[in-house]
Amino acid sequence: EAGVVQSPRYKIIEKKQPVAFWCNPISGHNTLYWYLQNLGQGPELLIRYENEEAVDDSQLPKDRFSAERLKGVDSTLKIQPAELGDSAVYLCASSRSSGSGETQYFGPGTRLLVL
Amino acid sequence: GQNIDQPTEMTATEGAIVQINCTYQTSGFNGLFWYQQHAGEAPTFLSYNVLDGLEEKGRFSSFLSRSKGYSYLLLKELQMKDSASYLCAVNGGATNKLIFGTGTLLAVQP
């Protein structure tokens, strides 16, 4: 079974430029998560999808960040415009459902560097 | 508020046993996860505890005491490949929203 796939693995951009990250979850997983991980820190949830519906986006900075999961499978996370402080690893995870005991499986992440 | 505490770094010797502690204060509790994360890689699932007691899985075991807001991850027969960050995460609500600690960076030395 293939794991969570993310691309690109690395991205370097200049500040004020737009950037997008893509995630393909494990087949059959209805719940998809985007996390932000700063160096030396644990992941922090940005947004959670149940199928195509964003059910928890309270931590997403909506002035510059947007996300979509149009067909309830793949998802994209966009930043426009990027700021220096956005440099971090963006992790995507998926689980079969959002039940409390469901394990979340993580992708390798996209490492973003904003110059 | 929500707070999860883990030691920042630990060092142990190959072949030895190490215990990584995690204490938490959350508004709700629906289980605690441990993940392993090697540098530059994805966090990978190690264990899940929702009831008090010890869960054993090969060289790794995890313990939970809900009354004390405390968990530990026990690693036996340490190997060099166990050098990684170990993340404690609590499901603090009705849905699967995880709150992560900062992680414990374990260095296994020969």
Side-chain angles (χ1 to χ4, degrees):
Chain A
E1 180 183 83
V4 177
V5 179
Q6 290 188 248
S7 69
R9 290 295 311 276
Y10 305 92
K11 189 73 176 180
I12 301 175
I13 60 172
E14 293 189 346
K15 62 181 179 182
K16 300 184 182 180
Q17 294 300 306
V19 65
F21 315 126
W22 176 80
C23 173
N24 181 246
I26 293 173
S27 178
H29 281 197
N30 295 323
T31 309
L32 183 145
Y33 314 77
W34 283 103
Y35 286 90
L36 167 73
Q37 187 174 27
N38 286 304
L39 189 64
Q41 301 294 315
E44 299 173 35
L45 182 69
L46 290 172
I47 190 169
R48 174 170 64 90
Y49 280 93
E50 294 291 344
N51 298 302
E52 66 276 7
E53 182 181 0
V55 294
D56 184 355
D57 62 356
S58 58
Q59 301 302 312
L60 189 73
K62 298 180 183 65
D63 57 335
R64 298 185 299 108
F65 286 65
S66 64
E68 60 183 15
R69 193 185 185 199
L70 292 176
K71 296 183 179 179
V73 182
D74 294 4
S75 177
T76 56
L77 178 69
K78 298 178 182 178
I79 308 175
Q80 183 171 11
E83 297 179 353
L84 296 177
D86 296 331
S87 295
V89 177
Y90 291 82
L91 293 166
C92 180
S94 70
S95 62
R96 289 182 303 178
S97 73
S98 61
S100 59
E102 289 288 346
T103 299
Q104 296 183 26
Y105 296 91
F106 285 82
T110 296
R111 191 174 298 272
L112 174 66
L113 179 60
V114 182
L115 302 176
Chain B
Q2 319 269 49
N3 194 46
I4 298 177
D5 286 319
Q6 307 178 232
T8 303
E9 297 180 349
M10 297 184 71
T11 302
T13 304
E14 192 176 15
I17 299 172
V18 71
Q19 178 175 311
I20 302 174
N21 296 323
C22 171
T23 57
Y24 62 89
Q25 291 177 309
T26 56
S27 55
F29 182 82
N30 275 307
L32 185 146
F33 292 81
W34 283 96
Y35 282 83
Q36 180 192 60
Q37 187 176 26
H38 285 100
E41 298 183 11
T44 56
F45 169 75
L46 289 178
S47 68
Y48 171 67
N49 296 71
V50 65
L51 300 176
D52 291 351
L54 188 68
E55 294 281 342
E56 297 186 80
K57 190 184 297 184
R59 294 189 300 115
F60 292 8
S61 302
S62 57
F63 172 83
L64 175 68
S65 169
R66 290 172 295 171
S67 63
K68 296 182 179 178
Y70 168 69
S71 173
Y72 67 72
L73 181 69
L74 193 70
L75 290 74
K76 304 176 185 176
E77 301 169 14
L78 280 172
Q79 302 175 9
M80 298 299 290
K81 67 178 182 179
D82 297 329
S83 294
S85 182
Y86 291 85
L87 297 162
C88 173
V90 172
N91 182 342
T95 59
N96 206 11
K97 180 173 183 175
L98 295 183
I99 304 163
F100 282 85
T102 57
T104 298
L105 186 61
L106 174 67
V108 180
Q109 298 178 340

